[in-house]
Amino acid sequence: MSIDINKVLKTLGISDVNKGVSTGQEWFETKGAITSSSSPIDGKEIAKVKNATLDDYEMVIKKAQEAFKVWRLVPAPERGEIVRQIGLELRKYKDDLSALVSYEMGKIFQEGKGEVQEMIDICDFAVGQSRLINGVSLQSERREHRLFEQYQPLGVVGIVTSFNFPVAVWAWNSALAAIAGDVVIWKPSSKTPLTALATQKIISSVLKKNNVPEGVFNLVVAKSSVMGDNFIADRRIPLMSVTGSTAVGKRVGGIVGKRLGKTILELGGNNAVIITPNADIPMAIASTVFGTVGTAGQRCTSTRRIIIHESVYDQVKNSMIKAYKSVASKIGSPLDEKFLVGPLIDEHSVNAFTHAVNSVEKEGGKILFGGEVLEGKGFESGNYVMPCIAEAKNEYEIVQEETFAPIVYLIKYTGDIYDAIAIQNNVPQGLSSCVF
């Protein structure tokens, strides 16, 4: 399969230089910095974006506040119908948006399609939820009185998304916010702004057809100096949904907490797979390898540690190395279906990967496979690495951290499953786990 990225960009309405502020259907000229987005696949510039200024941000939030007064009065099933139509529109552009996700972020095309399908799925789910915003009726001790509990929309919801799922996370938040009667302001990752612009353009036809007020679905591309702590601290935004590292989450939680606002925080993880003596080893290996190298280890749920019982440790270790040798020949452009692993997002991520590889060795660990930065034809961007397997101990400092890259630590355990679970839980982060 061959993907013509220039055709994709044209279909999605992405030009050489793009406006970065929209309140739904309308796009605004801004006087902010002009930034470029480059593909981690080949290092080439894809397009430029005109960023917002503080004045643009103020305009958008005022527009959102006004829109909320109207949107909250629209019956929830009608709001659900708008979201249903957004889901249909996303279906029309699924392949093109998936290709742009792949090209701008670096995940393989099939994973890009999976991400857009998640957008569609949450729209379908939200439609049902729009008819299930129920309340509770309670008896009162006072005569001729009855108590009611009823959900009410919050107002403006701030959404900050990360590069690794540049559009799905927006959909998870905005579809549910919209049917609840809230309005949203989306600040996408500075590493993947074009997927956000494309998404906004896709939904604009639905907003126009249904006369949705300007200010319900807002998009603002801006630097952190314009929309950073001030965005998080803004009292006009009762709920902030932020996807990022654990450190980012702590900062956001602290700032929003000071104003007694609400947060939804999707943060990092230090996810483990436990392989017991009773495991189906082939099944465990197949599942675990996808967990470790999928999206080049750049998922919050990527497998970081494999905790293996001593009786099957060598078998699992050898099987993992064999599997990784097979993966080694399938690293390359995510737009080519013969490859299974693409690049890291940028040089910073590559440096974090090499730092982890060096650190685990310094702490006494052993590299069993990979750990190199790839060079040569097809790897000119400098963002491709060989996924790494390392033997380590759970108490190593580097193991206690989350490295957002394809490095996995093999950790041996003795005793029963409870000993393995104790190791699993002995890290500062949580998120996901699996037992075979």
Side-chain angles (χ1 to χ4, degrees):
M1 179 187 65
S2 176
I3 296 175
D4 184 342
I5 199 64
N6 290 320
K7 183 179 179 181
V8 167
L9 294 172
K10 184 177 181 180
T11 300
L12 295 174
I14 303 299
S15 55
D16 290 341
V17 182
N18 303 270
K19 297 175 182 177
V21 175
S22 172
T23 55
Q25 303 170 52
E26 294 184 33
W27 292 84
F28 299 88
E29 286 289 351
T30 61
K31 295 182 180 179
I34 297 178
T35 54
S36 64
S37 177
S38 298
S39 173
I41 295 175
D42 54 21
K44 295 179 181 178
E45 179 181 283
I46 308 171
K48 292 183 172 67
V49 182
K50 297 178 181 178
N51 283 233
T53 63
L54 279 171
D55 288 341
D56 298 318
Y57 169 67
E58 281 298 318
M59 179 275 294
V60 169
I61 198 162
K62 288 175 181 176
K63 184 82 74 173
Q65 287 180 304
E66 289 301 313
F68 174 61
K69 296 174 184 177
V70 178
W71 186 245
R72 67 178 307 204
L73 298 178
V74 176
E78 288 187 27
R79 299 191 298 250
E81 170 60 17
I82 305 301
V83 172
R84 185 187 73 83
Q85 292 178 36
I86 288 174
L88 293 177
E89 203 67 12
L90 287 168
R91 285 175 169 89
K92 291 181 185 178
Y93 291 94
K94 180 179 177 179
D95 283 353
D96 289 306
L97 185 55
S98 301
L100 181 56
V101 167
S102 180
Y103 191 56
E104 188 176 34
M105 181 270 153
K107 64 177 64 175
I108 63 172
F109 180 58
Q110 286 301 320
E111 287 188 276
K113 291 177 71 173
E115 176 165 354
V116 178
Q117 185 61 48
E118 289 186 33
M119 301 173 76
I120 295 166
D121 291 344
I122 197 65
C123 286
D124 291 348
F125 176 76
V127 173
Q129 288 297 109
S130 70
R131 295 181 179 272
L132 293 172
I133 305 177
N134 304 319
V136 177
S137 176
L138 302 171
Q139 296 293 330
S140 171
E141 68 273 14
R142 300 181 65 184
R143 292 178 181 274
E144 299 180 351
H145 284 70
R146 184 172 292 275
L147 304 176
F148 292 96
E149 180 183 277
Q150 186 174 356
Y151 288 105
Q152 298 291 340
L154 287 169
V156 182
V157 176
I159 302 172
V160 179
T161 54
S162 181
F163 75 87
N164 60 327
F165 281 86
V167 290
V169 175
W170 167 83
W172 300 341
N173 285 274
S174 61
L176 294 174
I179 63 100
D182 299 313
V183 301
V184 301
I185 298 177
W186 180 16
K187 182 181 186 293
S189 168
S190 60
K191 298 177 182 180
T192 51
L194 302 181
T195 53
L197 301 184
T199 299
Q200 188 80 356
K201 289 176 182 290
I202 288 170
I203 72 170
S204 64
S205 63
V206 174
L207 306 183
K208 181 179 181 180
K209 183 169 63 176
N210 292 276
N211 296 313
V212 175
E214 290 294 314
V216 174
F217 292 93
N218 302 282
L219 170 67
V220 183
V221 177
K223 290 190 170 185
S224 296
S225 57
V226 174
M227 283 179 72
D229 286 358
N230 62 314
F231 184 39
I232 304 301
D234 198 325
R235 292 180 179 273
R236 295 169 293 183
I237 304 175
L239 173 63
M240 288 295 310
S241 176
V242 177
T243 302
S245 67
T246 302
V248 167
K250 288 178 180 179
R251 182 172 182 81
V252 171
I255 294 172
V256 178
K258 285 181 180 179
R259 60 179 175 87
L260 297 181
K262 301 177 185 295
T263 57
I264 299 173
L265 302 175
E266 171 61 37
L267 310 177
N270 201 334
N271 316 292
V273 167
I274 297 173
I275 300 181
T276 71
N278 301 316
D280 180 329
I281 301 299
M283 177 190 290
I285 296 300
S287 299
T288 301
V289 169
F290 177 73
T292 57
V293 304
T295 324
Q298 297 173 113
R299 290 195 293 255
C300 56
T301 53
S302 290
T303 303
R304 310 293 178 196
R305 297 171 296 148
I306 308 176
I307 302 165
I308 311 162
H309 192 269
E310 60 179 351
S311 64
V312 292
Y313 182 85
D314 287 339
Q315 181 183 359
V316 171
K317 178 178 74 172
N318 293 333
S319 296
M320 284 293 297
I321 293 171
K322 181 179 179 181
Y324 268 52
K325 288 180 179 178
S326 176
V327 168
S329 62
K330 298 177 181 178
I331 301 171
S333 171
L335 298 179
D336 189 329
E337 62 184 0
K338 71 174 177 283
F339 295 121
L340 298 178
V341 180
L344 292 171
I345 186 66
D346 56 20
E347 183 182 6
H348 174 78
S349 293
V350 173
N351 291 339
F353 173 77
T354 56
H355 169 74
V357 171
N358 294 332
S359 295
V360 73
E361 287 188 302
K362 288 179 181 178
E363 292 192 65
K366 180 180 180 182
I367 303 301
L368 300 176
F369 185 88
E372 307 88 10
V373 178
L374 299 177
E375 299 177 343
K377 186 177 180 181
F379 306 130
E380 290 86 356
S381 69
N383 297 323
Y384 294 84
V385 300
M386 184 63 69
C388 180
I389 305 172
E391 286 185 313
K393 294 182 179 179
N394 200 63
E395 61 264 29
Y396 287 175
E397 186 175 326
I398 191 63
V399 176
Q400 291 286 309
E401 300 174 4
E402 179 193 33
T403 300
F404 218 56
I407 180 169
V408 67
Y409 306 109
L410 305 190
I411 300 167
K412 186 184 297 185
Y413 83 93
T414 59
D416 58 24
I417 184 66
Y418 297 104
D419 296 298
I421 292 172
I423 296 172
Q424 146 84 37
N425 292 337
N426 191 22
V427 291
Q429 317 87 347
L431 201 53
S432 70
S433 61
C434 179
V435 179
F436 289 97

